[in-house]
Amino acid sequence: MADVLDPALTAYLDSLVPPRPPELQAMEAYAREHDFPIIGPSCGHICYQVARMIGARRVFELGSGYGYSTAFFARAVQENGGGVVHHVVWDDDLSSRARRHLAALGLDGVVQFHVAEAVAELQRTEGPFDLIFNDIQKKDYPGSLPVIEAKLRPAGVLIVDNMLWSRRVFEGHDRSPETEAIQTLTGALLAEPWVTSIVPIRDGLLLAYRR
């Protein structure tokens, strides 16, 4: 994944994020060293801010990695008075790593861990949710939307990562299934009942409000 912004601007925006706990900084260092895709400080802070603004108490993550984005949502939910953030990954090792990180951050008390296919797990989990975060395989983005619509409350928020896809969605020469899937989801979220914007930060963070 390549940032769509100039690296100096990305670094500046990250520098504006309030200081993170050492454990979260260690997660960022691991991502840099192992080229592991995380949403990064500035996107994480937006996720935290949105969750606080809407008073989110029930959050579902479709694709959670080793818990970096989860930490921002869990902090918001904790500060909103408590609730649950659903962390979902296919991989037992990632789930175990996330448990350790979130316990060290003192946030595991508001996190429920799942090892499963994310969209199917959302379908099985009782809703509604205040906020759903989507960061699954990009080719599966369009197929996830009907399930999201069934589980997100009215006036809830959907956040989707990688919506500029390293510029491939607007440069016009990429016809891969992943790029076309992102374009399809974007088009679907520009229609009622959604109010949608893409924030051109990192790899493009889509924010959609459900009327």
Side-chain angles (χ1 to χ4, degrees):
M1 183 202 75
D3 288 355
V4 296
L5 299 181
D6 178 84
L9 179 54
T10 296
Y12 173 69
L13 294 175
D14 283 347
S15 76
L16 300 179
V17 177
R20 277 90 62 209
E23 188 72 18
L24 208 55
Q25 294 181 45
M27 296 168 78
E28 294 165 5
Y30 179 91
R32 288 192 298 271
E33 292 163 9
H34 295 85
D35 198 26
F36 190 97
I38 61 171
I39 61 173
S42 52
C43 284
H45 190 62
I46 289 175
C47 289
Y48 162 78
Q49 180 180 353
V50 171
R52 286 288 278 138
M53 288 170 69
I54 67 168
R57 303 284 290 268
R58 287 178 54 79
V59 175
F60 198 100
E61 287 191 297
L62 293 158
S64 303
Y66 56 78
Y68 184 79
S69 57
T70 315
F72 287 92
F73 290 121
R75 178 185 163 207
V77 166
Q78 192 176 73
E79 292 176 2
N80 286 339
V84 61
V85 178
H86 293 267
H87 173 280
V88 188
V89 287
W90 263 114
D91 186 84
D92 283 302
D93 180 63
L94 283 176
S95 184
S96 297
R97 182 184 293 274
R99 290 170 190 264
R100 294 194 297 272
H101 286 308
L102 292 162
L105 288 162
L107 297 170
D108 54 328
V110 295
V111 180
Q112 184 171 334
F113 297 91
H114 309 252
V115 178
E117 194 283 317
V119 177
E121 193 69 1
L122 174 60
Q123 199 159 27
R124 285 190 291 266
T125 305
E126 184 178 357
F129 294 96
D130 304 306
L131 190 155
I132 294 175
F133 175 72
N134 196 354
D135 193 16
I136 57 174
Q137 294 293 321
K138 309 314 160 196
K139 63 182 176 59
D140 297 326
Y141 270 6
S144 69
L145 187 57
V147 181
I148 290 167
E149 289 179 324
K151 295 291 183 174
L152 187 67
R153 68 164 169 84
V157 172
L158 170 64
I159 301 178
V160 191
D161 196 23
N162 303 117
M163 291 300 280
L164 294 178
W165 202 226
S166 300
R167 300 176 175 263
R168 294 195 289 272
V169 293
F170 59 83
E171 288 184 338
H173 53 76
D174 188 331
R175 293 291 182 265
S176 68
E178 293 79 10
T179 298
E180 292 190 349
I182 291 170
Q183 292 167 331
T184 297
L185 180 64
T186 302
L189 291 171
L190 293 176
E192 290 288 345
W194 299 99
V195 180
T196 298
S197 295
I198 295 177
V199 181
I201 190 171
R202 201 164 172 85
D203 196 32
L205 196 69
L206 181 144
L207 305 179
Y209 164 78
R210 187 179 182 189
R211 293 187 194 272

